[in-house]
Amino acid sequence: MSCKRDDIFNAARKLIAECGFHGASVSLIADRAGVGAGTIYLYFKSKDILINELYRDIEKRVSAFILKGYPETGPIRERFIHLGTRLITYFIANPLDFRYGEQFYNSPYGTAFRRDRIMGEPGKRTVYNDLFEQGVAQQVLKDLPFFVIDSLAFGPLLAVMRDHILGFITLDKPLIEEVVAASWDSVRR
């Protein structure tokens, strides 16, 4: 990525995390990035494209982090614990990425994107799709619709990460392990 593109991404991520999509105008993003508004349009045809590309960039970094050391052929529980622990670890170290992701997923931008991911559209499947399908097929996970398993597994993790980022709790390694184990308990048979 070019330096200006990086500057634009960083400025957009910070502004959107702080002010939301509507509060982060192209001119504010440009000011924060130290570029002219026209420069943004050299890299991104529209603000919508910038927002979606920024999310994809964050998603790539998160995916690379959580998959490091992932035991692809390990037991379902071991894989679940690995992914949950790595996910929390990434986001507590990168709170702006978490806050941006929250904005994205809870907006019209994220609705279709999330639906495609959770439904496992071809080319858009994630490691979670495979893990949950295998877990249900092996009768290790509850036989519930994918959306329900996803919500039970990750809803509590997201809430705990949010509370950490807001300063309500401190997630240290032992607490992270307990939280992920509790999340596992909510979806296991």
Side-chain angles (χ1 to χ4, degrees), residues 58-69 82 86 90:
I58 292 169
E59 184 179 56
K60 283 179 192 172
R61 287 186 281 118
V62 171
S63 183
F65 185 85
I66 67 173
L67 291 176
K68 185 176 181 184
H82 174 90
R86 296 287 291 175
Y90 178 86

Side-chain angles (χ1 to χ4, degrees), residues 9-181:
F9 263 5
N10 289 331
R13 183 182 61 198
K14 288 175 187 171
L15 276 169
I16 291 167
E18 294 167 7
C19 307
F21 294 114
H22 298 295
S25 66
V26 170
S27 62
L28 280 174
I29 294 169
D31 286 345
R32 180 81 60 100
V35 300
T39 302
I40 291 177
Y41 293 109
L42 292 175
Y43 293 95
F44 308 98
K45 289 184 180 182
S46 69
K47 182 180 171 184
D48 291 344
I49 290 172
L50 168 61
I51 287 167
N52 283 296
E53 285 190 27
L54 178 53
Y55 180 78
R56 284 187 197 96
D57 179 69
I58 292 169
E59 184 179 56
K60 283 179 192 172
R61 287 186 281 118
V62 171
S63 183
F65 185 85
I66 67 173
L67 291 176
K68 185 176 181 184
Y70 180 65
E72 287 185 45
T73 58
I76 300 295
R77 183 183 189 283
E78 178 185 352
R79 291 160 50 198
F80 182 94
I81 297 295
H82 174 90
L83 292 171
T85 301
R86 296 287 291 175
L87 187 69
I88 291 175
T89 302
Y90 178 86
F91 280 126
I92 64 176
N94 298 280
L96 283 177
D97 286 356
F98 178 82
R99 292 173 57 204
Y100 184 90
E102 288 271 283
Q103 290 279 344
F104 185 86
Y105 261 75
N106 294 304
S107 75
Y109 293 107
T111 301
F113 191 85
R114 183 170 178 252
R115 182 178 40 249
D116 288 349
R117 290 293 164 135
I118 290 176
M119 295 307 291
E121 292 292 317
K124 297 181 182 181
R125 292 179 57 82
T126 69
V127 67
Y128 299 109
N129 295 97
D130 295 335
L131 178 68
F132 294 163
E133 284 177 9
Q134 290 170 18
V136 169
Q138 294 175 21
Q139 298 185 351
V140 175
L141 297 179
K142 294 176 180 166
D143 189 10
L144 296 169
F146 188 87
F147 277 103
V148 176
I149 293 174
D150 185 69
S151 294
L152 289 173
F154 295 107
L157 298 183
L158 294 172
V160 170
M161 286 185 271
R162 185 180 314 110
D163 287 347
H164 172 86
I165 290 166
L166 292 172
F168 299 146
I169 61 171
T170 300
L171 286 171
D172 58 13
K173 188 174 179 174
L175 186 54
I176 291 170
E177 289 171 0
E178 286 185 51
V179 167
V180 175

